[in-house]
Amino acid sequence: MVKVSKSYLIKQLYLVMFFFITLLILTILLAYYSMSGTLPFETRHYYISSNQKTLKVIDYETSETVEIIRGTKVEFVEELEDKTKILYNERKYLIDYSDLKENIEDVVTESFMYVRTPVTVRKEDGLSLVKKANKVNIIDYDSLLADGSINMYKIEHDEKVGWVYAKYLTDDLDYAKSTYATGEYEIHNRRGNNLGGGSAANLDFFPVDKSPIIDNDMPDEVRSLYLNGAVLHRIDEYIESFKDTSINAFVVDIKDDKMPAYKSEVMKNYSKTNYNRALNSYERYETAINKLNEAGFYTIGRITVFKDEYFVMDHPDHAIIDKRTDKPLVHNNSNWPTPYSREVWEFNVELAKEAVLNFGFNEIQFDYIRFPDRINRLENEGHIDLKNRYDEDKAEAVQNFLIYAKDELREVDAYISADVFGESSHAYVTAYGQYLPAISNVVDVISPMPYPDHFSMYEYGLSQPVWTIPYDLLKIWGNFTNQRQKETPTPAKVRTWIQAYDAIRNPRVKYDNKMIEDQIQALFDSNLNGGFMTWNAASSLSRYNSYIEAFEKEY
């Protein structure tokens, strides 16, 4: 029998105890790291956090400062005395440990921002406005973009909570107060509020992204005919007449004043009178637009916005009010929803989005984006209640609506265009709130309506009634338009409405093929070569066919 010494047994006992203690410690450590989501022998990763799009870090080897995009995944190397060493793209950098987050959702750290461009707040119960230079608290965000920027913030302001586009906010109060009105843009500051439409100095002139929309090609030159909702049962005839011509687009009514084009679900929800009095069933309207799309035409849906008698019938509380009667104002044989009403905005933009998504419109054209004209006397005498909820100028309300509408339509991959009076090409803010440089800066396409018979008889000092000499008139007018386009940082394409009806004033000139040709030639000679649209309220096919020669000409 082998004799074992006492010292040997004690040594073996210590070894067993050491083994079990080590095993216990490892078990505890493994349990801890398992609960924390990492293991001591695993590579630890974090995400870069910041209150900016990027974070400045120090290159470990060169001590140079570089920027890493917020949300970037990096590898933890080691903790130093006052910095943390990380690995990114095979280089080591020094960073504050507090700028590393375990969860990607925590990388956005800004707690407040300032409003640079007046923002529409999308709340659960509707829309509201936060004006320029106001401070807003940041509650949340929707998505982090590839460059570290944010798409939309959830904000709180004045005890109201909603979502705004981040591109209109800044962390720099001085920048938020600026108007991009430096250098040549100072001209806007010098134009006062002479007609009651507002001051150009209060409008926004920051550059706007107008990059092309993928899979939605807008022709460089649009040659378009207008179709009202009452002629869509004859869509095959229009297509047959123009499928092999230079006409490459149609403007089709979605909603005109007292002529809603189809039974829209949005109308059903927002304005049942518009829905009930629609000219076409949903199915017939869908068939007509589908045929235009299938024939290869670029389709533009037209919506009359702030002249809508049927909406006012349903919602008189959102109408411009005549205080003398305490009823909605009747002007130009209709009622006018106030452009200050966000409920009116929401209705028209939701209608536009429905039309894009359901029928495939390439572009939405907003008409009557203005206040009623020629009501200055009634305003000055205190007879009109415009319901100016947010203390905006008229021109501010028009521009703010278009900013909201453009953002919403970009979400559904559609372009936005705006119709304006020919007068807006002049160097002042009109009485009804249209100012071409401010509108052009926002939209993709601006569509002036310089109908010759709408001008003063001897406009611009011309010696003959101007509607009898449309080339001379529009050549001069076109020069004014070009000047306004130079006064804005991101001007829209100019696609002009032309008069395709006989003059309605004496001398009552017939607008034949030559008169159409003269208008188009004047536009091209003025370098307004974005194309034209024919305004004929009846959408007369025979009239359009009589203009084929003018449409086909190379200008």
Side-chain angles (χ1 to χ4, degrees):
M1 182 175 181
V2 179
K3 189 175 181 180
V4 180
S5 67
K6 184 177 180 181
S7 61
Y8 175 80
L9 290 173
I10 292 173
K11 184 183 293 186
Q12 293 301 311
L13 180 61
Y14 281 146
L15 286 173
V16 172
M17 290 175 63
F18 176 77
F19 172 76
F20 280 108
I21 291 171
T22 302
L23 183 62
L24 179 62
I25 291 172
L26 287 174
T27 302
I28 293 172
L29 287 173
L30 286 171
Y32 170 77
Y33 286 117
S34 295
M35 291 176 63
S36 65
T38 62
L39 296 175
F41 45 81
E42 282 188 328
T43 301
R44 294 164 60 186
H45 288 100
Y46 292 90
Y47 298 95
I48 298 292
S49 70
S50 176
N51 60 2
Q52 306 280 339
K53 293 195 300 182
T54 60
L55 180 72
K56 292 181 179 180
V57 299
I58 301 171
D59 188 296
Y60 181 70
E61 295 180 1
T62 67
S63 297
E64 293 180 351
T65 299
V66 299
E67 294 186 355
I68 299 180
I69 293 174
R70 173 169 61 182
T72 299
K73 191 176 184 179
V74 298
E75 181 180 329
F76 174 87
V77 176
E78 63 176 317
E79 190 74 49
L80 303 178
E81 184 175 344
D82 59 347
K83 291 286 184 180
T84 298
K85 189 188 297 184
I86 62 170
L87 182 67
Y88 171 63
N89 279 351
E90 299 182 354
R91 291 194 66 84
K92 295 177 181 178
Y93 299 95
L94 298 178
I95 186 174
D96 289 334
Y97 183 76
S98 60
D99 291 325
L100 295 174
K101 303 296 182 186
E102 292 185 357
N103 299 313
I104 186 70
E105 295 83 5
D106 299 329
V107 301
V108 178
T109 62
E110 48 266 47
S111 60
F112 66 88
M113 299 282 275
Y114 298 100
V115 176
R116 185 209 72 188
T117 295
V119 288
T120 295
V121 184
R122 293 146 174 88
K123 306 178 299 175
E124 288 187 0
D125 61 348
L127 306 176
S128 65
L129 176 74
V130 181
K131 301 190 80 172
K132 188 176 184 64
N134 272 276
K135 180 180 178 181
V136 297
N137 296 317
I138 306 299
I139 298 174
D140 199 357
Y141 69 97
D142 65 343
S143 59
L144 185 67
L145 305 181
D147 64 351
S149 62
I150 302 301
N151 179 44
M152 296 186 81
Y153 286 113
K154 189 176 186 179
I155 61 103
E156 182 274 329
H157 176 263
D158 197 21
E159 298 184 352
K160 296 177 182 178
V161 175
W163 293 88
V164 302
Y165 278 95
K167 60 188 173 183
Y168 302 126
L169 305 183
T170 176
D171 62 354
D172 185 334
L173 179 57
D174 289 334
Y175 183 61
K177 291 178 178 178
S178 67
T179 59
Y180 203 73
T182 57
E184 63 187 277
Y185 306 114
E186 283 292 339
I187 191 169
H188 303 298
N189 290 330
R190 296 196 295 268
R191 290 173 180 159
N193 182 14
N194 299 321
L195 300 177
S199 171
N202 294 335
L203 301 173
D204 191 82
F205 292 97
F206 284 93
V208 174
D209 177 27
K210 299 184 180 181
S211 53
I213 297 172
I214 297 173
D215 296 326
N216 186 359
D217 296 326
M218 180 192 298
D220 292 331
E221 180 191 321
V222 167
R223 298 188 177 199
S224 180
L225 306 179
Y226 163 71
L227 301 180
N228 66 49
V231 301
L232 296 184
H233 65 287
R234 300 177 61 195
I235 196 65
D236 292 332
E237 297 176 59
Y238 287 91
I239 292 173
E240 185 62 29
S241 292
F242 296 100
K243 65 180 181 180
D244 296 320
T245 71
S246 62
I247 294 298
N248 57 7
F250 280 90
V251 179
V252 186
D253 274 350
I254 295 171
K255 175 175 69 74
D256 198 1
D257 180 41
K258 291 180 280 193
M259 288 185 67
Y262 73 97
K263 287 189 176 295
S264 152
E265 283 299 309
V266 171
M267 291 180 189
K268 191 174 184 179
N269 292 333
Y270 285 85
S271 176
K272 289 188 176 179
T273 303
N274 268 299
Y275 178 84
N276 291 332
R277 301 189 183 184
L279 298 173
N280 299 282
S281 68
Y282 179 96
E283 292 74 18
R284 184 161 70 180
Y285 189 85
E286 180 182 39
T287 297
I289 306 307
N290 283 345
K291 287 182 176 181
L292 290 174
N293 289 329
E294 290 166 3
F297 291 102
Y298 182 82
T299 51
I300 305 164
R302 174 177 173 266
I303 296 177
T304 294
V305 182
F306 300 122
K307 185 183 182 185
D308 187 343
E309 182 169 302
Y310 293 164
F311 182 87
V312 169
M313 290 171 65
D314 297 326
H315 305 283
D317 49 326
H318 293 299
I320 296 173
I321 297 298
D322 187 336
K323 292 182 180 179
R324 296 168 299 182
T325 63
D326 201 31
K327 293 181 179 179
L329 174 72
V330 178
H331 181 74
N332 284 355
N333 196 35
S334 190
N335 299 131
W336 294 68
T338 175
Y340 291 127
S341 169
R342 269 52 186 181
E343 289 78 5
V344 177
W345 293 17
E346 189 172 30
F347 165 47
N348 285 279
V349 171
E350 289 301 310
L351 180 61
K353 289 160 61 179
E354 177 191 66
V356 171
L357 292 172
N358 291 3
F359 311 127
F361 279 106
N362 300 101
E363 175 182 319
I364 295 296
Q365 178 187 95
F366 291 109
D367 197 1
Y368 283 86
I369 45 158
R370 62 177 179 86
F371 289 76
D373 56 321
R374 295 174 284 108
I375 62 169
N376 300 61
R377 181 182 61 80
L378 294 177
E379 287 187 77
N380 294 336
E381 293 175 357
H383 297 316
I384 300 293
D385 181 5
L386 296 173
K387 300 186 176 178
N388 191 353
R389 187 188 313 176
Y390 297 105
D391 191 29
E392 299 165 280
D393 288 346
K394 291 178 182 177
E396 284 183 286
V398 169
Q399 189 186 43
N400 289 341
F401 165 73
L402 291 171
I403 291 172
Y404 161 67
K406 182 177 190 298
D407 286 334
E408 292 293 310
L409 287 174
R410 278 278 162 160
E411 292 290 336
V412 294
D413 295 328
Y415 297 105
I416 178 176
S417 55
D419 293 345
V420 295
F421 274 168
E423 181 192 7
S424 67
S425 292
H426 298 151
Y428 54 83
V429 179
T430 65
Y432 39 86
Q434 289 183 346
Y435 184 58
L436 191 144
I439 294 174
S440 178
N441 192 49
V442 174
V443 298
D444 298 303
V445 178
I446 191 162
S447 296
M449 303 179 288
Y451 305 132
D453 65 358
H454 282 39
F455 285 80
S456 298
M457 181 172 285
Y458 301 107
E459 190 80 40
Y460 306 131
L462 292 170
S463 60
Q464 303 175 57
V466 294
W467 53 91
T468 68
I469 48 172
Y471 177 88
D472 303 80
L473 171 68
L474 293 190
K475 186 67 170 60
I476 298 172
W477 171 86
N479 292 333
F480 284 104
T481 304
N482 278 317
Q483 186 58 46
R484 300 292 82 74
Q485 286 285 89
K486 294 175 182 177
E487 297 170 357
T488 195
T490 47
K493 290 184 178 182
V494 179
R495 186 193 307 143
T496 312
W497 284 99
I498 61 172
Q499 180 173 325
Y501 58 89
D502 297 338
I504 58 175
R505 299 164 63 189
N506 289 324
R508 293 181 178 272
V509 180
K510 180 177 177 59
Y511 263 60
D512 56 14
N513 190 82
K514 178 63 166 59
M515 300 295 258
I516 298 299
E517 184 178 310
D518 284 352
Q519 291 178 85
I520 300 172
Q521 189 67 62
L523 298 177
F524 277 82
D525 289 350
S526 301
N527 201 34
L528 300 178
N529 50 18
F532 61 85
M533 298 169 291
T534 56
W535 179 250
N536 181 282
S539 305
S540 169
L541 181 58
S542 60
R543 174 76 65 147
Y544 289 159
N545 279 321
S546 73
Y547 297 148
I548 285 285
E549 186 177 338
F551 296 156
E552 292 301 290
K553 181 179 176 180
E554 291 294 327
Y555 293 93

